[in-house]
Amino acid sequence: MNSVEGLVTQIQGLSSTASDVLMLQNLLKQANDSLHAESTRLLPFLDQLDPSKHSLGYLYFLEACTAGPITKEQASSYVLIIARFLSSCVSEQIRLASHKFISVCKRFKDQLVLLGEPLRGVALMLTAIRKFQSLTEHLTALHPEFLLLCLLAKSYKTGHSVLEEDIFEVDQPKDLFLYCYYGGMICIGQKHFQKALELLHNVVTAPMFAVNAIAVEAYKKYILVSLILHGQFSTSLPKYSSSAAQRNLRSLCQDNNLGLVKQVVSSLYKQNIQRLTQTYLTLSLQDIASTVQLSSVREAEMHVLQMIQDVEIYATINQKDGMVRFLEDPEQYKTIEMIERIDSSIQRLMILSKKITLTDPSYLSKGCRERQKFDFDDYDSVPQRFNV
């Protein structure tokens, strides 16, 4: 154990300056196999290290400690240790061992799932992402882990805060697939179906040489969310989708997602009510119930009230005679809030434009040539009816 004790001493002495930390990094790389060989005996040495000062060394020891199988009883202790490390560690040091940091964070998630306490890890995993990221536009391997914890904990609002950030850098394709899939699920949980559809569309149309399980599950939900949002969906994928997706996705999607299917049924009633607003200025609740095929006037009233509350239609209900009056959208697009939203969209487009100008010109020219092969109709084909 003298070598491990000596390594602890070196960690304590070489964690102050940037040059010392780089020297320590080389020493830790050389000692990595030894640390894993002694993994079952390393835990007491963590008490001699301060995660806020000795982040790199602490990370090497912690990664080795958690590398083997961990029981539910051990998980309770390790969760506290990793939580303390994630709260205190220094970004500049943990980025020098990015693969180990990712491994520790993933094991942290696994241990929380094993304990059935995903909510404990939501805020800490977000902290880990912020420390690991160099820029907010960078999609890391920790993003899917964070979103999965949010899903399991039903902490949709926290997960959605990350989904609002624009992504321009991706390390691994699988990270993007899982980020968009879990993100779509979170948006479904919040009933933000337009954003959910965009994220699921990214999975389904992403480049792939062979169809993967993530794309299959995303396509199932893509169909159902399309029905919820539009009452219909396209039977064919856009031509910019991979050939593997176009050939195989529909044949692999044979089952349904019960929770989403129930929402589809409810959304079809809403779609039919929305169509009535395009034809009538006033209509009785009885007529709405019979036209939309609802079982009672009360049920029709509840649907209309819910749609008014969700700003899906603009209407008033006269309780005396049961008449519904449909109104025009009151938005005049001149409020401060609307101007701020438009300005925000313009700023995002300007940033995207700058990113494109920095892209390899040969790649852009190739993309333009490929796009000329398609008509605009290929990108916005007329959706076909789908019977549930």
Side-chain angles (χ1 to χ4, degrees):
M1 289 299 292
N2 290 333
S3 60
V4 176
E5 292 173 346
L7 190 58
V8 169
T9 302
Q10 289 176 315
I11 291 170
Q12 293 170 336
L14 294 174
S15 297
S16 300
T17 66
S19 58
D20 284 347
V21 172
L22 289 176
M23 187 183 301
L24 176 63
Q25 181 186 17
N26 292 326
L27 292 173
L28 289 169
K29 285 181 178 179
Q30 296 171 14
N32 187 59
D33 292 341
S34 300
L35 288 174
H36 277 262
E38 299 281 1
S39 61
T40 58
R41 305 169 64 183
L42 293 179
L43 193 59
F45 289 93
L46 291 176
D47 293 332
Q48 300 178 36
L49 300 174
D50 184 343
S52 64
K53 296 178 181 178
H54 314 124
S55 300
L56 183 60
Y58 200 102
L59 175 57
Y60 266 80
F61 272 65
L62 187 56
E63 190 275 332
C65 285
T66 57
I70 294 177
T71 65
K72 192 171 183 178
E73 291 71 24
Q74 291 174 317
S76 298
S77 300
Y78 278 119
V79 161
L80 294 174
I81 295 170
I82 297 175
R84 176 171 173 254
F85 170 70
L86 295 180
S87 298
S88 308
C89 66
V90 178
S91 299
E92 291 75 15
Q93 292 194 27
I94 57 104
R95 289 175 188 166
L96 295 174
S98 57
H99 292 297
K100 290 188 177 296
F101 187 71
I102 290 169
S103 294
V104 168
C105 289
K106 287 186 175 182
R107 292 166 192 168
F108 178 59
K109 180 265 297 180
D110 292 338
Q111 291 160 15
L112 289 169
V113 173
L114 178 64
L115 294 171
E117 301 176 359
L119 184 59
R120 288 176 61 186
V122 170
L124 285 164
M125 192 65 79
L126 183 56
T127 298
I129 288 174
R130 297 309 182 208
K131 290 186 177 184
F132 188 58
Q133 277 181 313
S134 54
L135 297 168
T136 56
E137 63 191 38
H138 175 211
L139 179 67
T140 71
L142 302 183
H143 279 79
E145 307 298 323
F146 165 70
L147 293 177
L148 179 56
L149 285 175
C150 290
L151 272 174
L152 295 174
K154 292 184 170 57
S155 184
Y156 303 134
K157 186 175 181 180
T158 306
H160 195 268
S161 65
V162 169
L163 297 173
E164 292 175 343
E165 298 169 353
D166 293 322
I167 297 296
F168 295 111
E169 297 180 18
V170 180
D171 291 335
Q172 297 294 329
K174 184 180 178 182
D175 297 335
L176 179 63
F177 276 90
L178 287 173
Y179 168 82
C180 291
Y181 177 70
Y182 291 147
M185 293 286 288
I186 284 174
C187 290
I188 290 170
Q190 285 199 298
K191 299 189 183 300
H192 293 168
F193 295 117
Q194 183 60 54
K195 180 67 174 178
L197 194 65
E198 292 172 8
L199 289 166
L200 295 171
H201 178 269
N202 289 342
V203 180
V204 172
T205 60
M208 61 183 89
F209 293 107
V211 172
N212 57 67
I214 305 170
V216 172
E217 291 302 315
Y219 187 62
K220 297 173 186 177
K221 291 172 176 61
Y222 176 75
I223 292 172
L224 294 171
V225 173
S226 295
L227 289 169
I228 290 172
L229 199 60
H230 303 302
Q232 50 194 11
F233 88 104
S234 176
T235 57
S236 60
L237 294 173
K239 289 188 177 180
Y240 52 78
S241 306
S242 68
S243 57
Q246 294 193 49
R247 286 195 309 268
N248 301 314
L249 273 181
R250 287 196 300 275
S251 61
L252 291 173
C253 298
Q254 300 298 329
D255 64 329
N256 288 319
N257 295 261
L258 183 58
L260 268 178
V261 169
K262 290 180 178 178
Q263 293 190 59
V264 168
V265 174
S266 175
S267 74
L268 292 177
Y269 289 128
K270 291 182 178 181
Q271 294 286 338
N272 289 331
I273 292 173
Q274 285 178 327
R275 290 191 185 96
L276 294 177
T277 67
Q278 300 170 14
T279 306
Y280 301 96
L281 292 176
T282 58
L283 201 62
S284 69
L285 288 170
Q286 179 62 59
D287 288 336
I288 292 175
S290 59
T291 304
V292 180
Q293 298 182 346
L294 292 168
S295 59
S296 66
V297 170
R298 176 61 177 166
E299 189 176 357
E301 182 179 14
M302 295 306 297
H303 270 85
V304 171
L305 287 172
Q306 186 62 54
M307 292 178 73
I308 293 172
Q309 181 178 330
D310 295 338
V311 199
E312 294 174 325
I313 61 172
Y314 301 94
T316 59
I317 300 176
N318 189 323
Q319 297 293 338
K320 293 182 178 180
D321 55 14
M323 295 298 293
V324 179
R325 182 188 176 195
F326 298 119
L327 308 174
E328 295 292 331
D329 183 351
E331 178 60 64
Q332 299 297 312
Y333 298 96
K334 59 183 181 181
T335 62
I336 294 176
E337 292 79 5
M338 182 56 66
I339 292 172
E340 288 176 348
R341 285 178 59 186
I342 294 172
D343 181 66
S344 175
S345 297
I346 292 172
Q347 295 299 323
R348 291 177 64 188
L349 287 172
M350 291 173 65
I351 292 172
L352 179 58
S353 177
K354 290 179 181 178
K355 294 285 182 183
I356 292 174
T357 59
L358 296 174
T359 306
D360 184 352
S362 61
Y363 174 81
L364 288 177
S365 61
K366 180 183 178 182
C368 291
R369 288 197 301 271
E370 289 293 323
R371 180 158 188 164
Q372 288 171 2
K373 297 178 182 178
F374 310 131
D375 296 326
F376 285 111
D377 289 340
D378 295 326
Y379 291 85
D380 297 299
S381 56
V382 178
Q384 303 296 316
R385 290 287 181 182
F386 177 79
N387 296 321
V388 179

